[in-house]
């Protein structure tokens, strides 16, 4: 197979009054099965997507639906078409001073319209790819990618095929339209005024139907492991950390819990100590034994110390059902190893408070990390009211103080919306 990538030269400056398909048809000579690769800039100009804007940032704001990552003035965002890119594709290059260029409103629709008219004008079977320039995670440098397509499959699915050694391919899906975009850019360039190229020799890719277009290249949110930048992911995990009281029966991945514990033990602690221990209750038998022992201890105390009747006790202890219904429990424990001995009660109490703050920070790290892993959690304080019972049921050392229990599992339903909580009500400035 011989492949040719040919520039289409001689196109004039494009504006909203230009008949772009006619100009492209006139500028080149096309054969059946050619693939035309067209930079989005001239498509945007022909569609009137030039905006007079002294403030490019305001234009980016208007085109952005979600911030992915920010570092200084640089923003990676998701735009209206689901494309994740720098500055929402708002471009101040190759346009008149004082203006910015927006991406086509619907790049696939633009590709379909351009293809239909070009086939009419040229009388040959064509495909069209509309491109823009992207940066890429983990890689330096920019490359052109497809943001719209018509007349060819944007993706080629190799799954189920075998390689030259007879191995079945299980994951390989080729981004054909992106490969065409990058190849065409080798002859278009960035500053040569050549916005169109022809890829010839791949006529077998050209279809009678327009196809699903470049939209097929946008990874669904549920499959995107790199949907947020680091600081944004942390903020979202903190926001998503909600108390979940109903879980699915799906087992919890012990590796995810261990990763959460690894994050927990990075919390600050006094005197360079490590005052945390995390008891992971992975056995249903152990969970039941602990909860049964705790229930008996609570019932006894509420009856003997508080004088409650059976109905009131039943309502109070029912709050612990969230622990019984969860597929996984974590019991964080405070240890005072490395604490200072003070002879007076005031300083001794402050010493313990320091250690208590440290385990609170560790538990928060645990909860936030589990939220980032897609798990729901509920921190319940009940083990703190019957520590001897918990130590006996779990065979823990005398110096380990249980500090509640954390229920872990996949949420059975999304948490209810709650109003945003700003910081100002909780701040005093001196």
């Amino acid at each position: 197979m011989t492949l040719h990538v040919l520039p289409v030269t001689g196109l004039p400056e494009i504006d909203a009054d230009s008949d772009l398909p006619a100009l492209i048809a006139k500028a080149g000579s096309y054969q059946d099965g050619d693939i035309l690769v067209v930079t989005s800039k001239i498509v945007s100009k022909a569609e009137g997507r030039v905006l007079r804007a002294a403030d490019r940032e305001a234009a980016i704001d208007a085109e952005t639906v979600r911030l992915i990552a920010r570092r200084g003035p640089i923003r990676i965002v998701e735009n209206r078409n689901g494309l994740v890119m720098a500055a929402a594709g708002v471009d101040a290059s190759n346009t008149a001073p004082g203006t910015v260029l927006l991406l086509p409103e619907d790049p696939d629709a633009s590709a379909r319209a351009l293809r239909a008219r070009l086939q009419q004008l040229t009388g040959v079977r064509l495909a069209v790819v509309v491109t823009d320039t992207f940066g890429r995670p983990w890689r330096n440098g920019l490359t052109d990618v497809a943001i719209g397509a018509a007349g060819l499959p944007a993706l080629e699915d190799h799954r189920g095929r075998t390689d030259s050694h007879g191995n079945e391919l299980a994951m390989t899906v080729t981004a054909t339209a992106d490969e065409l975009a990058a190849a065409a850019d080798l002859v278009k360039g960035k500053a040569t005024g050549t916005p169109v190229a022809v890829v010839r020799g791949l006529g077998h890719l050209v279809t009678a139907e327009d196809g699903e277009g470049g939209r097929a290249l946008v990874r669904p949110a549920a499959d995107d492991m790199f949907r947020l930048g680091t600081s944004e992911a942390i903020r979202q995990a903190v926001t998503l950390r909600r108390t979940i009281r109903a879980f699915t029966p799906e087992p919890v991945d012990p590796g995810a819990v261990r990763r959460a514990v690894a994050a927990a033990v990075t919390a600050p602690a006094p005197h360079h100590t490590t005052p945390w221990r995390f008891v992971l209750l992975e056995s249903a038998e152990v969970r039941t034994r602990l909860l049964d022992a705790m229930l008996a201890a609570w019932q006894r105390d509420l009856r003997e110390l508080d004088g409650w009747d059976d109905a009131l006790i039943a309502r109070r202890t029912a709050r612990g059902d969230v622990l019984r219904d969860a597929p996984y429990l974590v019991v964080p424990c405070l240890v005072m190893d490395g604490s200072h001995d003070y002879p007076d009660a005031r300083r001794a109490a402050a010493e313990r408070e320091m250690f208590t703050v440290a385990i609170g920070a560790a538990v928060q790290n645990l909860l936030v990390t589990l939220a980032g892993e897609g798990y729901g959690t509920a921190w319940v304080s009940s083990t703190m009211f019957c520590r001897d019972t918990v130590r006996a049921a779990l065979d823990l050392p005398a110096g380990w103080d249980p500090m509640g229990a954390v229920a872990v599992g996949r949420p059975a339903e999304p948490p209810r919306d709650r109003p945003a909580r700003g910081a100002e009500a909780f701040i005093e400035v001196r």
Side-chain angles (χ1 to χ4, degrees):
M1 178 179 66
T2 302
L3 186 67
H4 298 278
V5 183
L6 309 168
V8 176
T9 58
L11 283 168
E13 181 65 26
I14 304 298
D15 59 30
D17 295 322
S18 300
D19 185 342
L20 182 60
L23 292 171
I24 294 175
K26 182 179 178 181
S29 176
Y30 306 106
Q31 299 179 10
D32 187 79
D34 281 352
I35 301 170
L36 273 68
V37 183
V38 183
T39 182
S40 61
K41 287 183 174 60
I42 62 168
V43 177
S44 294
K45 289 178 179 179
E47 294 179 353
R49 297 282 286 166
V50 179
L51 183 68
R52 292 213 164 268
D55 183 1
R56 180 175 177 238
E57 295 303 308
I60 295 170
D61 290 341
E63 293 295 301
T64 294
V65 299
R66 186 171 60 88
L67 175 69
I68 306 298
R70 179 194 293 271
R71 184 167 296 176
I74 299 172
R75 281 189 283 173
I76 307 298
V77 304
E78 179 183 339
N79 75 0
R80 299 176 187 275
N81 291 303
L83 300 171
V84 174
M85 59 195 310
V90 176
D91 199 345
S93 63
N94 292 299
T95 187
T99 66
V100 294
L101 200 55
L102 311 181
L103 289 178
E105 190 167 350
D106 183 343
D108 282 327
S110 300
R112 290 192 293 269
L114 190 55
R115 180 197 189 210
R117 184 82 193 289
L118 280 167
Q119 289 189 140
Q120 183 183 48
L121 291 170
T122 62
V124 296
R125 183 175 58 105
L126 301 171
V128 170
V129 176
V130 177
T131 71
D132 198 51
T133 303
F134 278 37
R136 301 156 296 160
W138 313 299
R139 306 284 288 180
N140 285 322
L142 304 173
T143 188
D144 268 23
V145 302
I147 63 170
L152 81 167
L155 296 168
E156 184 176 3
D157 194 344
H158 297 270
R159 291 172 296 185
R161 303 180 191 176
T162 55
D163 64 17
S164 58
H165 295 280
N167 301 308
E168 184 175 337
L169 301 175
M171 301 292 290
T172 305
V173 180
T174 302
T176 304
D178 282 347
E179 292 181 329
L180 290 165
D185 196 50
L186 294 173
V187 301
K188 287 193 295 160
K190 297 299 180 194
T192 60
T194 306
V196 181
V198 174
V199 179
R200 181 169 295 159
L202 295 175
H204 64 282
L205 293 178
V206 180
T207 59
E209 303 80 16
D210 284 331
E212 58 185 329
R215 187 74 188 181
L217 295 160
V218 178
R219 192 185 299 275
D223 299 333
D224 189 352
M225 296 175 66
F226 308 100
R227 193 161 168 77
L228 296 170
T230 302
S231 61
E232 289 73 22
I234 292 170
R235 283 196 293 272
Q236 179 163 309
V238 171
T239 303
L240 289 176
R241 193 227 56 78
R242 301 279 296 278
T243 296
I244 302 298
R245 300 191 180 279
F247 302 96
T248 72
E250 179 184 341
V252 171
D253 174 16
V257 179
R258 283 160 175 77
R259 290 190 291 273
V261 171
V265 299
T266 65
H271 316 317
H272 305 289
T273 58
T274 53
W276 326 278
R277 302 293 184 270
F278 293 87
V279 185
L280 310 183
L281 306 190
E282 297 181 345
S283 161
E285 178 186 353
V286 172
R287 291 196 297 273
T288 299
R289 184 173 73 231
L290 170 65
L291 295 174
D292 286 349
M294 288 172 57
L295 177 60
W298 269 88
Q299 288 171 334
R300 182 190 64 242
D301 287 349
L302 292 173
R303 185 175 293 110
E304 295 177 1
L305 301 180
D306 298 304
W308 288 14
D309 61 30
D310 289 344
L312 193 55
I313 290 171
R315 285 199 297 272
R316 176 63 183 85
T317 55
R319 298 178 188 175
D321 287 349
V322 64
L323 299 178
R324 199 172 290 274
D325 295 341
Y328 199 107
L329 297 181
V330 178
V331 178
C333 294
L334 172 65
V335 297
M336 295 294 290
D337 297 351
S339 62
H340 293 173
D341 242 346
Y342 290 104
D344 62 290
R346 177 181 58 83
R347 288 189 292 167
E351 182 76 359
R352 182 172 176 84
E353 286 174 358
M354 286 198 305
F355 278 72
T356 302
V357 168
I359 194 163
V363 170
Q364 174 71 352
N365 283 2
L366 180 88
L367 302 181
V368 168
T369 306
L370 286 169
E373 295 269 1
Y375 289 105
T377 58
W379 177 81
V380 180
S381 62
S382 53
T383 68
M384 300 169 69
F385 292 84
C386 51
R387 284 177 171 146
D388 288 340
T389 300
V390 175
R391 280 190 287 260
L394 298 180
D395 192 24
L396 302 180
W400 289 27
D401 284 346
M403 302 296 285
V406 179
V408 185
R410 297 291 185 192
E413 58 187 24
R416 287 176 293 182
D417 289 337
R418 64 180 176 189
R421 185 180 292 169
E424 291 306 314
F426 307 97
I427 294 173
E428 292 289 338
V429 178
R430 297 289 188 266

